[in-house]
Amino acid sequence: RARARDLVARLTPAERVSQITDSAPTVARLGIPAYEWWNEGLHGVGTSPGVSFEEPTPYATSFPAPVALAAGFDEQAWERVAEMISTEVRAFHNAPPRQSNGSTYIGHAGLTIYTPNVNIVRDPRWGRAMETPGEDPELTSAYARAYVRGLQGAGDRPKLLATCKHFALYNLEGGSNGVPVRQEFDAKVR
């Protein structure tokens, strides 16, 4: 923590702001490499801005979609799949540095993964239900716990950092048929 505080204190205000985007640029004077925070791992190392599918990592394993995996009601399987994904993410991360948009990135994937999706499916007509464990809050909760445990590992130092995504309002898309657009929705919670 002391090292992190010292490093942040050395950043100028403009450099600090530049680091809070998906694509954080290099801060050469402090030896901070570029970093792409957006890395997907929903059912394997996924196509996203932070992942590079080029040699020596041209392919990744694709596991069943979350709705199919959750249908097995097997917490040990969920955790094991997540462990395998995190191992593959580490392999991508350990690949040689790559150039993109004028910056040098460490490896072919970052160690921050946007998964699992914990949105509760409320309408099966929503086109992205397969990205979630389903409509049951208890199942989704158990799935998320097992998945995060598998991705991060049990030690003091996480293997990578999982980020549960789409906690609320994710299936409010499009603004058609009386469904509000999520970016404009005001949930008036009492």
Side-chain angles (χ1 to χ4, degrees):
R1 288 185 180 177
R3 183 174 178 222
R5 280 192 199 107
D6 177 62
L7 186 59
V8 171
R10 292 171 189 253
L11 291 167
T12 66
E15 289 168 338
R16 288 179 191 177
V17 169
S18 77
Q19 296 297 302
I20 58 172
T21 66
D22 280 346
S23 299
T26 301
V27 181
R29 68 182 189 83
L30 296 176
I32 299 173
Y35 188 79
E36 176 59 61
W37 291 89
W38 185 356
N39 301 276
E40 293 284 351
L42 199 58
H43 57 91
V45 179
T47 301
S48 57
V51 177
S52 174
F53 289 102
E54 59 189 53
E55 291 296 334
T57 57
Y59 308 104
T61 306
S62 183
F63 294 92
V67 72
L69 193 59
F73 296 92
D74 186 340
E75 290 186 39
Q76 290 179 331
W78 305 335
E79 188 169 341
R80 183 70 184 116
V81 164
E83 286 172 4
M84 289 184 274
I85 291 169
S86 68
T87 297
E88 198 160 60
V89 168
R90 274 284 175 176
F92 271 69
H93 183 73
N94 290 337
R98 64 185 169 89
Q99 296 291 317
S100 180
N101 299 324
S103 294
T104 301
Y105 291 85
I106 295 173
H108 290 188
L111 296 177
T112 49
I113 304 297
Y114 292 168
T115 197
N117 182 338
V118 295
N119 187 64
I120 304 299
V121 175
R122 290 167 182 83
D123 185 338
R125 296 171 297 174
W126 176 57
R128 298 179 74 177
M130 71 290 205
E131 296 177 12
T132 75
E135 63 187 358
D136 181 349
E138 188 171 337
L139 174 69
T140 298
S141 175
Y143 181 90
R145 280 192 311 272
Y147 217 76
V148 169
R149 215 173 26 247
L151 287 169
Q152 294 187 171
D156 291 339
R157 297 185 67 171
K159 197 171 180 182
L160 54 79
L161 297 177
T163 303
C164 293
K165 62 182 183 176
H166 309 312
F167 182 68
L169 306 179
Y170 189 54
N171 54 356
L172 296 176
E173 294 182 15
S176 61
N177 299 322
V179 176
V181 176
R182 67 183 156 126
Q183 290 86 347
E184 300 169 2
F185 181 70
D186 183 358
K188 307 226 186 306
V189 178
R190 296 175 199 241

